[in-house]
Amino acid sequence: MTGDGSRRRGAALEADLLDAAWEELAEVGYARLTMEGVAARARTGKQVLYRRWPNRAQLVRAVVRRRSGALGEQVPDTGELRGDVLAVLRGMVERQRELGPDVIHGLLAEVPDVDPDFARIMRGVLGVILERAVGRGEIGSGELPGRVVSLPADLLRHEMLLGREPVSEQVLVSIVDDVFLPLVRRS
Amino acid sequence: MTGDGSRRRGAALEADLLDAAWEELAEVGYARLTMEGVAARARTGKQVLYRRWPNRAQLVRAVVRRRSGALGEQVPDTGELRGDVLAVLRGMVERQRELGPDVIHGLLAEVPDVDPDFARIMRGVLGVILERAVGRGEIGSGELPGRVVSLPADLLRHEMLLGREPVSEQVLVSIVDDVFLPLVRRS
Amino acid sequence: MTGDGSRRRGAALEADLLDAAWEELAEVGYARLTMEGVAARARTGKQVLYRRWPNRAQLVRAVVRRRSGALGEQVPDTGELRGDVLAVLRGMVERQRELGPDVIHGLLAEVPDVDPDFARIMRGVLGVILERAVGRGEIGSGELPGRVVSLPADLLRHEMLLGREPVSEQVLVSIVDDVFLPLVRRS
Amino acid sequence: MTGDGSRRRGAALEADLLDAAWEELAEVGYARLTMEGVAARARTGKQVLYRRWPNRAQLVRAVVRRRSGALGEQVPDTGELRGDVLAVLRGMVERQRELGPDVIHGLLAEVPDVDPDFARIMRGVLGVILERAVGRGEIGSGELPGRVVSLPADLLRHEMLLGREPVSEQVLVSIVDDVFLPLVRRS
DNA sequence: CCTTAATCGAGACGGTACGTCGTGTCTTTAT
DNA sequence: ATAAAGACACGACGTACCGTCTCGATTAAGG
């Protein structure tokens, strides 16, 4: 019945599974994604999924990791603080648009630590950007509280969690111009 | 068949239902709360629940509304901007502690607009507080962007959504002292 | 909302109820007839039904009584035993056709005594027919066992209970010619 | 979560299911037998039942088949036509007594063809008996109509379907002595 | 090269909850 | 007093998934 001669294994199979999960996510959304559905779409058994991920949250987490791969890989460098921060935020929005807003929602609710490192990475990226701004003399050299450093990312994430649609450019600008820049230029 | 002579109806029954849901929430948490469980605890049928709320999210939303009813009823007045803002945030944390962090999480994930008016209310409360601060001469009289006004509430909510534990006093202080006050005193 | 000024009562209402039940029977059949459906069709409440009949079986029984009213009212008289018996059986089949075979089925299963008197009536009718046949000299005058008298009706009923379609003329003829007539002409 | 190491499957499970249904039948009767009850008694899920039988009627039909398994296996041989026929009828009554009269009723109402082969089997058994009677010279060798052959079984079934109690010996005797024997001895 | 062990594809299993339907009782309002 | 309307307590329906387990089929790896 199966007998197409070739049976998937290992990495190739895993890729198919994640692809299937990805398509399932796209079609029915996170809330209605089921292990059963993913297995069916990948034309395999549920055990194959459970062998790899203990529940759908972990599975989706893996999908997300795969799709939006390296988040903090390259730090934008526009030569200006404002441009850099906006670029970072736009990257986040792009990621949200790609995954779909409700996937973000869903993950947040079920996975305790969707991105335990996400926050850390963002802090790192913004730290670098701020340092360069200090170097250019755009802002003072005083040590900024951690909360301030991660402020743009935090506010944007807050928006993402509440709204059901991709965050608009206006909001990004507002976060940067109304909140972040005034704060770091304060000293 | 049943006929014990007294049968709950209308408002009285609804109160019992919400109480049952509340207890269920407390015992098993949001994720494992079921319509079936609530109905059983209230010793009635599921239909009685479904007649009122189409799903568990709406039910819990009603419970939350009932429990943490009047959020913006009284605006704290400590005679000082910092004290006022902290008092507002502490009120939010108190509410979170009462409901339990995962209820907040759960609601967020399933209900599109847990509190559509919540944001509006917070903005109103903080607006009053800021006006008073202007009156006292604590801060300048320039018009503040909406985003800045709701900033403390937004940041606190962001914390609530990410963490699984009640937000600590330290975080509140950090939000107020590192971000909010510097921003509104800037001018 | 109701206020058409006139409200049905007593016999008029009861007639409407039975009509509604009758139409319901015709549309969905006995198995799927519900008190709720009948009440809805008659545009009234269930209580009005339950006040009159304790359950759907009794209700349908009343419908049947009303529709196929007087069963043994007129005894056929064709001037010949065979014709008379066939006429009686055809009357039964006609009744079955009118009610629908599954109504018969359903009633039989749920109502212990759909026709406690039905059997009695049939025996009476056949008795008269047989007496006339004796008078005409078609058969002997010996006393026939009750079972033999009711035999045609019993066999026909057996057919009705098993099949899901109206009993064919062939079967009637077979009952009469292969079984009944040989038996009563035996002496 | 369950994991007790032993999980019933296939035929063994099916046997348990039928046993459970049988016990349920005995305890609450056909009318109040529910899929839910049977599943609970068998300590399994409803799906396991529905996977095998689409509704309770089919389930009970399977139970009946299993319990009163081989109906026409041995043809009674008392050396005399009357004794043989009575023995066959007594076998049917025994079966009825075993299952309970209302099970028969219930099945009849819901299952279109409780035993499509039952009639055929009975005809076969009675055919053999009649042949032997012909061989012994008890009755003539003329071909009997099918309806006459199955007459005793049909009449008995009719009794079973109408009454709520096991058919009495008197009735059996009446069927045989008043109807069947006179008919087959006629020639 | 051939055995052996692991994994795959498929699906049954024991279980929980879903959301719906119908029962028969009870209550309310209006005629 | 009863009609009309509908809520209530209850029980069962049939379905969807969960996470586990079993069963052959197939494939990779080791002796």
Side-chain angles (χ1 to χ4, degrees):
Chain A
M1 196 63 78
T2 36
D4 47 51
S6 76
R7 177 177 268 179
R8 297 164 294 175
R9 268 173 183 267
L13 175 56
E14 189 150 328
D16 281 6
L17 298 177
L18 289 174
D19 284 348
W22 171 250
E23 290 167 26
E24 202 72 5
L25 257 188
E27 269 190 29
V28 305
Y30 178 80
R32 278 184 300 168
L33 175 138
T34 67
M35 297 300 255
E36 209 134 6
V38 174
R41 183 184 289 270
R43 267 171 310 126
T44 183
K46 286 186 285 181
Q47 192 82 61
V48 173
L49 289 177
Y50 282 106
R51 222 193 306 278
R52 291 168 170 77
W53 305 280
N55 49 52
R56 71 171 190 164
Q58 298 300 320
L59 166 58
V60 174
R61 188 154 149 266
V63 172
V64 169
R65 267 203 230 285
R66 185 164 187 251
R67 289 283 153 174
S68 68
L71 187 66
E73 269 181 355
Q74 72 259 36
V75 178
D77 190 353
T78 65
E80 187 201 20
L81 176 57
R82 185 171 184 276
D84 285 357
V85 178
L86 276 174
V88 169
L89 298 187
R90 287 194 193 106
M92 286 176 63
V93 172
E94 178 53 32
R95 191 199 192 195
Q96 179 198 26
R97 202 183 310 268
E98 199 183 358
L99 292 173
D102 59 326
V103 173
I104 307 286
H105 257 98
L107 279 180
L108 175 86
E110 294 199 18
V111 194
D113 50 354
V114 204
D115 22 35
D117 27 41
F118 171 78
R120 192 177 37 75
I121 292 177
M122 287 322 271
R123 222 181 311 261
V125 171
L126 283 165
V128 171
I129 288 173
L130 284 168
E131 276 177 30
R132 286 203 302 240
V134 171
R136 283 191 301 263
E138 280 194 77
I139 58 174
S141 65
E143 181 75 16
L144 288 170
R147 184 162 307 277
V148 171
V149 174
S150 64
L151 191 60
D154 289 350
L155 280 181
L156 176 52
R157 184 132 63 142
H158 181 250
E159 295 290 329
M160 288 178 173
L161 295 177
L162 291 195
R164 292 278 186 198
E165 300 172 4
V167 177
S168 72
E169 176 73 11
Q170 284 188 341
V171 171
L172 301 190
V173 170
S174 160
I175 288 174
V176 174
D177 289 345
D178 292 341
V179 180
F180 188 62
L181 291 185
L183 208 48
V184 296
R185 285 186 185 139
R186 155 193 61 112
S187 64
Chain B
M1 201 65 79
T2 34
D4 45 55
S6 79
R7 180 181 269 183
R8 297 167 294 175
R9 299 181 77 78
L13 174 56
E14 189 150 329
D16 282 7
L17 297 177
L18 290 174
D19 284 348
W22 171 250
E23 291 167 27
E24 203 71 6
L25 258 188
E27 270 189 29
V28 306
Y30 179 82
R32 277 184 298 167
L33 176 138
T34 66
M35 296 301 254
E36 206 134 6
V38 174
R41 182 184 289 271
R43 263 167 314 122
T44 184
K46 286 185 280 183
Q47 196 104 53
V48 171
L49 290 177
Y50 282 108
R51 216 184 324 265
R52 291 169 168 76
W53 306 280
N55 51 53
R56 68 176 192 159
Q58 298 300 323
L59 166 57
V60 174
R61 186 154 151 267
V63 172
V64 169
R65 264 204 230 287
R66 185 162 187 255
R67 288 282 153 177
S68 66
L71 188 68
E73 266 181 355
Q74 72 257 38
V75 180
D77 189 355
T78 65
E80 188 201 20
L81 176 57
R82 184 172 186 275
D84 285 356
V85 178
L86 276 175
V88 168
L89 299 187
R90 285 193 194 109
M92 286 177 65
V93 173
E94 176 53 32
R95 192 195 191 194
Q96 180 197 27
R97 200 184 311 269
E98 199 183 0
L99 292 174
D102 59 325
V103 172
I104 307 288
H105 258 96
L107 278 180
L108 175 86
E110 296 198 15
V111 193
D113 47 354
V114 204
D115 19 36
D117 27 38
F118 172 79
R120 190 176 40 74
I121 291 176
M122 287 324 267
R123 219 181 310 264
V125 170
L126 285 164
V128 172
I129 287 174
L130 284 168
E131 277 177 30
R132 283 202 304 238
V134 171
R136 280 191 303 261
E138 279 194 77
I139 60 176
S141 64
E143 183 76 14
L144 289 171
R147 184 164 306 280
V148 171
V149 174
S150 65
L151 190 60
D154 289 350
L155 281 181
L156 176 51
R157 185 132 65 145
H158 180 249
E159 295 291 329
M160 288 178 174
L161 295 177
L162 290 195
R164 291 280 186 196
E165 299 171 5
V167 177
S168 72
E169 176 73 11
Q170 285 188 341
V171 171
L172 300 190
V173 169
S174 161
I175 288 175
V176 174
D177 289 345
D178 293 341
V179 180
F180 188 61
L181 290 184
L183 207 49
V184 296
R185 285 188 184 137
R186 156 195 61 111
S187 64
Chain C
M1 199 60 79
T2 38
D4 46 52
S6 76
R7 177 178 269 177
R8 297 165 294 176
R9 265 167 186 276
L13 175 55
E14 189 151 330
D16 281 6
L17 298 177
L18 289 174
D19 284 348
W22 171 250
E23 290 167 27
E24 203 72 5
L25 257 188
E27 270 190 29
V28 306
Y30 179 80
R32 279 186 297 168
L33 175 137
T34 66
M35 296 300 254
E36 210 137 10
V38 173
R41 182 185 290 270
R43 266 170 310 126
T44 183
K46 287 187 283 181
Q47 193 76 54
V48 173
L49 289 177
Y50 282 107
R51 218 190 312 275
R52 291 168 169 76
W53 306 279
N55 50 53
R56 70 172 191 164
Q58 297 302 321
L59 166 58
V60 175
R61 187 153 149 269
V63 173
V64 169
R65 264 205 230 287
R66 186 164 186 252
R67 288 283 151 176
S68 67
L71 186 69
E73 266 181 356
Q74 71 256 37
V75 179
D77 189 355
T78 65
E80 188 201 22
L81 176 57
R82 185 172 185 274
D84 286 355
V85 178
L86 276 174
V88 169
L89 297 187
R90 285 194 193 108
M92 285 176 65
V93 172
E94 177 53 32
R95 190 198 192 193
Q96 178 197 26
R97 200 184 312 267
E98 198 185 359
L99 292 173
D102 57 325
V103 172
I104 306 288
H105 257 98
L107 279 179
L108 174 87
E110 295 199 17
V111 194
D113 48 355
V114 205
D115 22 35
D117 25 41
F118 172 79
R120 191 174 39 76
I121 292 175
M122 288 322 271
R123 219 181 312 263
V125 171
L126 285 164
V128 172
I129 288 173
L130 285 168
E131 275 175 31
R132 284 200 304 238
V134 171
R136 282 189 303 260
E138 279 194 79
I139 59 175
S141 64
E143 183 75 16
L144 289 170
R147 184 163 307 278
V148 171
V149 174
S150 64
L151 190 61
D154 289 350
L155 279 181
L156 176 52
R157 185 133 63 143
H158 181 250
E159 294 291 329
M160 287 178 175
L161 294 178
L162 291 195
R164 292 279 185 196
E165 300 171 4
V167 177
S168 73
E169 176 74 11
Q170 285 187 339
V171 171
L172 301 189
V173 170
S174 160
I175 288 174
V176 174
D177 289 345
D178 292 342
V179 180
F180 188 63
L181 290 185
L183 207 48
V184 296
R185 287 186 184 141
R186 152 196 63 113
S187 65
Chain D
M1 199 65 77
T2 34
D4 46 56
S6 81
R7 182 182 269 184
R8 295 165 295 173
R9 297 182 76 79
L13 174 57
E14 189 150 331
D16 282 6
L17 296 177
L18 289 174
D19 284 349
W22 171 250
E23 290 166 27
E24 202 73 5
L25 257 189
E27 271 190 27
V28 308
Y30 178 80
R32 278 183 297 167
L33 177 138
T34 66
M35 296 301 255
E36 207 135 7
V38 174
R41 183 184 290 270
R43 265 170 307 125
T44 184
K46 284 185 283 183
Q47 197 101 53
V48 172
L49 289 178
Y50 282 108
R51 214 179 331 261
R52 290 170 168 77
W53 306 281
N55 49 53
R56 69 176 191 158
Q58 298 299 323
L59 165 57
V60 174
R61 186 153 151 266
V63 172
V64 169
R65 266 203 229 286
R66 186 162 187 255
R67 288 282 153 176
S68 66
L71 188 68
E73 267 181 357
Q74 73 260 34
V75 179
D77 189 355
T78 65
E80 188 202 19
L81 175 57
R82 184 171 184 275
D84 285 356
V85 178
L86 275 175
V88 168
L89 298 188
R90 285 194 194 108
M92 285 176 64
V93 172
E94 176 54 33
R95 192 198 192 192
Q96 178 197 28
R97 201 184 311 269
E98 198 184 359
L99 292 172
D102 58 325
V103 172
I104 307 287
H105 258 98
L107 278 179
L108 175 86
E110 297 198 16
V111 194
D113 48 355
V114 205
D115 20 34
D117 26 38
F118 172 79
R120 192 176 38 75
I121 292 176
M122 286 324 269
R123 223 181 308 263
V125 171
L126 286 164
V128 172
I129 288 173
L130 284 166
E131 277 176 31
R132 286 201 302 240
V134 170
R136 283 191 300 262
E138 279 194 78
I139 59 176
S141 64
E143 182 76 16
L144 288 171
R147 183 164 306 278
V148 170
V149 174
S150 64
L151 190 61
D154 289 350
L155 280 182
L156 175 52
R157 183 133 65 146
H158 181 250
E159 295 291 328
M160 287 178 173
L161 295 177
L162 291 194
R164 293 278 184 197
E165 299 171 7
V167 177
S168 71
E169 176 73 10
Q170 285 188 341
V171 171
L172 301 190
V173 171
S174 160
I175 289 174
V176 175
D177 289 345
D178 291 341
V179 180
F180 189 61
L181 291 185
L183 208 48
V184 296
R185 285 187 185 139
R186 158 191 58 111
S187 65

